[in-house]
Structure formats: structure tokens, C-alpha cells
Amino acid sequence: MLLIPAIDLQDGRCVRLRQGDLDDATVFSEDPAAMATQWLDQGARRLHLVDLNGAVAGKPKNEAAIKSIIAAVADEIPVQIGGGIRDLDTIERYLDAGISYVIIGTAAVKDPGFLRDACSAFPGNIIVGLDARDGKVATDGWSKLTRHDVLDLARKFEDYGCEAIIYTDIGRDGMLSGVNIEATVKLAQYVNIPVIASGGVTDLKDIEALCAVEDEGIEGAILGRSIYEGTLDFAAAQELADELSPP
């Protein structure tokens, strides 16, 4: 089970939001590169970046902070990024800069043709982010709830050739309320590509619960507020996950 620390970037700083609300941000570091190095030193094997300003603007907005993180850790571990990725040129720039995986969320839902083109142009580098509430997909920084069923979209995007799906229960993200195991397993059983859980991971009990269903197709989990506020020790969590993961 791969545990992935999240670094959410807003105005060049590392922050955490509650349920994606940009007006409810807690600043955890003024130096995102130092934060990235901290997680690397604690045993992280991948990092998850989100350009929050970019998600709103529809184009990258925290490029200086992103470049500093890439320079600090990308030679050591893969880095994945989402937020405001709307065209192939942006994907190419990120990959050329040292990013390993590009996450497409809102654009995948609104413009499936773009996702298909991205998967074709950059095979193995595209991850889809599906954010949902009660089984329905949300877009635009979670501000709009669509009628799209998360399972149907997941299978469609799998057919396009995406590498994995990050599934976020937006009702739980940043709330330290526990991961939605049932919905995550349901999605993982519906597709053949790996699913990465996101939203609500709080403590070691959540890690144990995720590891118990890892063989359903859940490859990893993104950790946010829990590792910043201290309800979950990252190094201890990854050690536990390694112990519990099936051989």
C-alpha cells in the first residue's frame, strides 16, 4: 500500500482545505520544497501536488513552488500533480520538468476527448481524479455536482487508457472523519486499473482498513490533514502499511 503525502499549493504556500473550500485554508508551511523534503526523509515513495490556484484559474499558477519541489525530490521519488490542467502543452511542460504523473480531473469530465488525447499522447503518465459525493461526480474545485455516475465515468476513462484513478469522497476530505472504504472498494471492483483512495484518512485504523481491501485493487492512499495535524504519523503509517500489504 503506497501512502502519498499531499502538498496543496495556494499562493506559493503549503495549505490544507476543508472540503475543498479555498476560504477555509490552514497554512502549514511557507516553504513547500522543505515540506517535500520532510516527507521524503520520512520514507515517502511518491508525492501528490495540487495547484489550488490553478484549479480555479484553469492554468498553472504555482509554478515557482512546483519547480522548487521538483528540484528537491523528483530525482528520488515520483511526483504527481493536478489542478488547472486543461491542455496537452501543460502536460508536456510538467513531464519535461520532471513530473511523473499528471492528474486530470474537471477537464476529464467536461472534455472527455481531451482526456483521450492525453492518454494517447502520454501513455503511462495520466491519472484521472474523480471527486464524488453520494456517487455523483463533482467538478470545478468541487463547486458543481454533476449527474455523472462515478462508476460509469471510471470505466469509460479506463477504456481511454488512464494509468490509475484517484477517488476522493469530497464530503470527507480535510474533515478527519475516516475514509469511505465502501465506496472506494466498490469503484476498485468496477475497474481493472489501480484506485488510489483520498479524503478522510485520519489514523492508523484507516490504514489498517485500507490494507485489508488492498487486493480489491486499491493501490494507495493520499494523506493530507492527518499528517499535518499529527493524528497520523506518516513514517509509522507507511511502516504499518508495508507490514500489512499482501506479498
Side-chain angles (χ1 to χ4, degrees), residues 108-163:
V109 180
K110 290 188 169 183
D111 186 3
F114 164 58
L115 176 64
R116 186 191 296 110
D117 291 344
C119 291
S120 176
F122 308 104
N125 299 114
I126 305 300
I127 294 175
V128 169
L130 287 178
D131 310 321
R133 187 192 301 273
D134 300 325
K136 298 300 180 182
V137 174
T139 62
D140 299 279
W142 305 349
S143 63
K144 298 178 182 177
L145 196 63
T146 73
R147 296 181 180 179
H148 293 295
D149 183 86
V150 67
L151 298 180
D152 291 341
L153 278 187
R155 183 165 286 176
K156 177 180 179 180
F157 296 160
E158 175 186 15
D159 291 341
Y160 288 174
C162 67
E163 182 72 8

Side-chain angles (χ1 to χ4, degrees), residues 18 28 35 38 48 55 64 107 122 140 154 157 160 186 196 224:
R18 294 183 188 276
F28 283 100
M35 185 61 68
Q38 173 184 314
H48 174 81
F122 308 104
D140 299 279
F157 296 160
Y160 288 174
K186 187 176 180 180
I196 298 171

Side-chain angles (χ1 to χ4, degrees), residues 6-84:
I7 298 179
D8 289 1
L9 299 167
Q10 183 183 46
D11 303 328
R13 303 176 298 178
C14 174
V15 306
R16 293 304 299 169
L17 307 181
R18 294 183 188 276
Q19 296 183 317
D21 185 352
L22 289 170
D23 295 324
D24 191 0
T26 304
V27 178
F28 283 100
S29 175
E30 300 283 347
D31 188 345
M35 185 61 68
T37 301
Q38 173 184 314
W39 298 130
L40 174 65
D41 292 343
Q42 291 189 30
R45 299 198 283 267
R46 189 187 295 189
L47 287 181
H48 174 81
L49 311 185
V50 182
D51 183 346
L52 295 172
N53 303 102
V56 175
K59 58 184 178 180
K61 285 292 186 179
N62 280 281
E63 290 182 276
I66 293 164
K67 288 179 180 178
S68 71
I69 291 171
I70 292 171
V73 304
D75 286 342
E76 304 290 334
I77 57 174
V79 177
Q80 61 192 41
I81 188 166

